Amino acid sequence: YYERSLFILRVSGEKMDLDTCFVNLAIVEAPAQREKEKQDLKRQAAVFNRITSFETVERVNMQSSFPLEQLFSKRKLRDGNENVPKTILVQGRAGIGKTTLCKKLVLAHQAGLWRHLFHAVLWLPLRQLKTSKSRTLEGLLREKFFAKDLDQEGVALSRALVDYAQKGKVLFILDGLDEIITDTECKEGLSLGLFVRTLLTQQHVIITSRPSGLDRSLLPSIDLELETIGFSQQNVKEFMDKVLEPEAVRKVQDFIQQTPLIQGLVNIPVQLDVICFGWDSLPKDGPTITMTGLYQLMVRKLWCKDALLLKKTAGGKDLTPQQINKLAPEEIDELMNTELQHLGYLAFKGM
């Protein structure tokens, strides 16, 4: 089932293998650890300094990386006891790699990791529950994973997974709790809210969420809390090596080192991808690139890409890539005016 989605879709539309993508985790300190390691939080030389954000997760030890393979190793939990974590919360800003982490967890289990603990790993993007008709675990499994099977087979397979789950042999990866949590408060969403709570209280659960919009009162007791902290300096270099020519890598690295604000952006994978995607649009012999100039060029290239996907026309004919790339900035704005208006409205409402 997951084979068709276990890859990373770049801003350009190209696919990247999950093995070439990086996810770094750090521990969010429990209360007893915070004072002891307070000074460690100030020393973050191993990674880029993060720009100030309303989505920053506090009390994160950036120096203490957390290997993915050790996710279910016996360790000291947040309540002070030593055991294998069963309920794990992973927080992170938008675009930082939470869904990539989910995909890598599925891939790791397929490769044999944690097979002694789990017979199955189920990755459930929670926003999909909004359109699901099922409000039971068995019904959801049948609808999502076994819809193409014959009725008898789908029912049998769904029931088998529910049995495994009741025995603690299924790992549930609940991706994007913040994307659905507000919908559980209205009367119409009452059954959805109860179902989400049922999923959250399964025996083995990994929950991902952005820090903003997370209502902790809805969470079960958390054994281990982590944050996805984005790319390290080495990750940034390795990513650029994969998507850019060597000369472009050198120039982008120079630009990053000379621009402090960029250093706080490129640790977020999607932002680094956008910079790499738009870099070849820079004039070869033009003036020194600025943040504003880079931003304008990235926006232009993204609009050109989307104009093709949306099959924009001129004179009743679809525009070709060559025609779109020759358009002046004001012509691009006019061509994409409807989309600009919609995005502007969404951005304003999102504030």
Side-chain angles (χ1 to χ4, degrees), residues 330-343:
E330 57 272 14
E331 291 175 312
I332 289 286
D333 289 346
E334 183 178 350
L335 183 68
M336 306 298 291
N337 182 61
T338 301
E339 289 76 16
L340 276 166
Q341 295 292 332
H342 283 302
L343 286 176

Side-chain angles (χ1 to χ4, degrees), residues 43 72 125 135 202 325:
R43 295 190 289 269
F72 295 102
R135 291 293 180 263
Q202 294 296 314
N325 289 330

Side-chain angles (χ1 to χ4, degrees), residues 76-133:
K76 191 172 184 179
L77 305 181
R78 289 178 71 81
D79 62 4
N81 295 319
E82 194 164 306
N83 212 330
V84 174
K86 291 187 175 182
T87 305
I88 301 171
L89 174 64
V90 181
Q91 296 188 75
R93 291 181 284 171
I96 203 75
K98 298 185 296 298
T99 296
T100 299
L101 169 65
C102 296
K103 294 179 179 181
K104 289 183 82 72
L105 290 170
V106 173
L107 196 65
H109 185 261
Q110 289 181 350
L113 198 59
W114 312 310
R115 285 290 179 91
H116 64 293
L117 293 174
F118 310 117
H119 293 332
V121 171
L122 300 180
W123 166 39
L124 300 172
L126 290 178
R127 63 178 175 271
Q128 295 179 2
L129 296 184
K130 298 176 185 178
T131 56
S132 172
K133 298 177 182 178

Side-chain angles (χ1 to χ4, degrees), residues 13 22 62 98 123 129 143 180 224 243 253 270-271:
F22 315 101
M62 301 284 283
K98 298 185 296 298
W123 166 39
L129 296 184
E143 177 186 312
I180 196 171
L224 178 63
V243 302
Q253 280 187 302
V270 69
Q271 292 177 342

Side-chain angles (χ1 to χ4, degrees), residues 248-259:
V249 171
R250 185 186 64 78
K251 290 181 178 179
V252 176
Q253 280 187 302
D254 290 344
F255 179 66
I256 291 172
Q257 294 304 321
Q258 295 164 16
T259 315

Side-chain angles (χ1 to χ4, degrees), residues 110-329:
Q110 289 181 350
L113 198 59
W114 312 310
R115 285 290 179 91
H116 64 293
L117 293 174
F118 310 117
H119 293 332
V121 171
L122 300 180
W123 166 39
L124 300 172
L126 290 178
R127 63 178 175 271
Q128 295 179 2
L129 296 184
K130 298 176 185 178
T131 56
S132 172
K133 298 177 182 178
S134 300
R135 291 293 180 263
T136 65
L137 180 55
E138 183 180 325
L140 176 67
L141 295 175
R142 189 162 63 248
E143 177 186 312
K144 183 172 176 62
F145 299 107
F146 307 117
K148 294 182 179 179
D149 292 285
L150 297 175
D151 286 345
Q152 296 283 345
E153 291 179 351
V155 170
L157 290 168
S158 300
R159 286 179 178 171
L161 275 179
V162 171
D163 288 342
Y164 282 140
Q166 291 172 345
K167 295 173 183 176
K169 289 297 184 180
V170 175
L171 172 62
F172 289 83
I173 304 173
L174 307 180
D175 189 14
L177 183 58
D178 59 292
E179 297 181 42
I180 196 171
I181 213 154
T182 54
D183 292 340
T184 65
E185 301 304 317
C186 61
K187 290 183 179 179
E188 294 78 6
L190 182 60
S191 61
L192 175 60
L194 291 173
F195 185 43
V196 169
R197 287 172 174 82
T198 298
L199 294 173
L200 289 171
T201 53
Q202 294 296 314
Q203 292 190 47
H204 293 278
V205 183
I206 295 176
I207 305 158
T208 75
S209 177
R210 290 167 63 173
S212 59
L214 177 60
D215 185 352
R216 285 181 171 268
S217 67
L218 298 175
L219 293 174
S221 178
I222 301 297
D223 296 325
L224 178 63
E225 190 169 338
L226 304 171
E227 184 192 357
T228 46
I229 56 176
F231 284 173
S232 66
Q233 292 181 1
Q234 183 61 30
N235 294 156
V236 170
K237 172 66 165 58
E238 291 175 8
F239 180 87
M240 292 192 298
D241 285 340
K242 294 178 188 302
V243 302
L244 295 174
E245 296 297 324
E247 180 62 18
V249 171
R250 185 186 64 78
K251 290 181 178 179
V252 176
Q253 280 187 302
D254 290 344
F255 179 66
I256 291 172
Q257 294 304 321
Q258 295 164 16
T259 315
L261 182 57
I262 281 286
Q263 295 175 23
L265 294 174
V266 295
N267 79 307
I268 299 178
V270 69
Q271 292 177 342
L272 176 61
D273 189 24
V274 171
I275 291 171
C276 292
F277 177 62
W279 192 261
D280 65 355
S281 298
L282 294 173
K284 303 302 182 216
D285 300 312
T288 303
I289 185 64
T290 63
M291 277 288 295
T292 301
L294 178 61
Y295 175 79
Q296 291 171 338
L297 285 166
M298 289 191 303
V299 170
R300 171 185 165 79
K301 187 158 185 181
L302 287 169
W303 277 134
C304 289
K305 174 183 72 74
D306 292 337
L308 280 173
L309 293 174
L310 294 169
K311 299 186 183 301
K312 290 292 183 176
T313 62
K317 295 183 178 181
D318 289 350
L319 289 168
T320 65
Q322 293 76 15
Q323 290 172 322
I324 291 174
N325 289 330
K326 289 179 181 178
L327 294 175

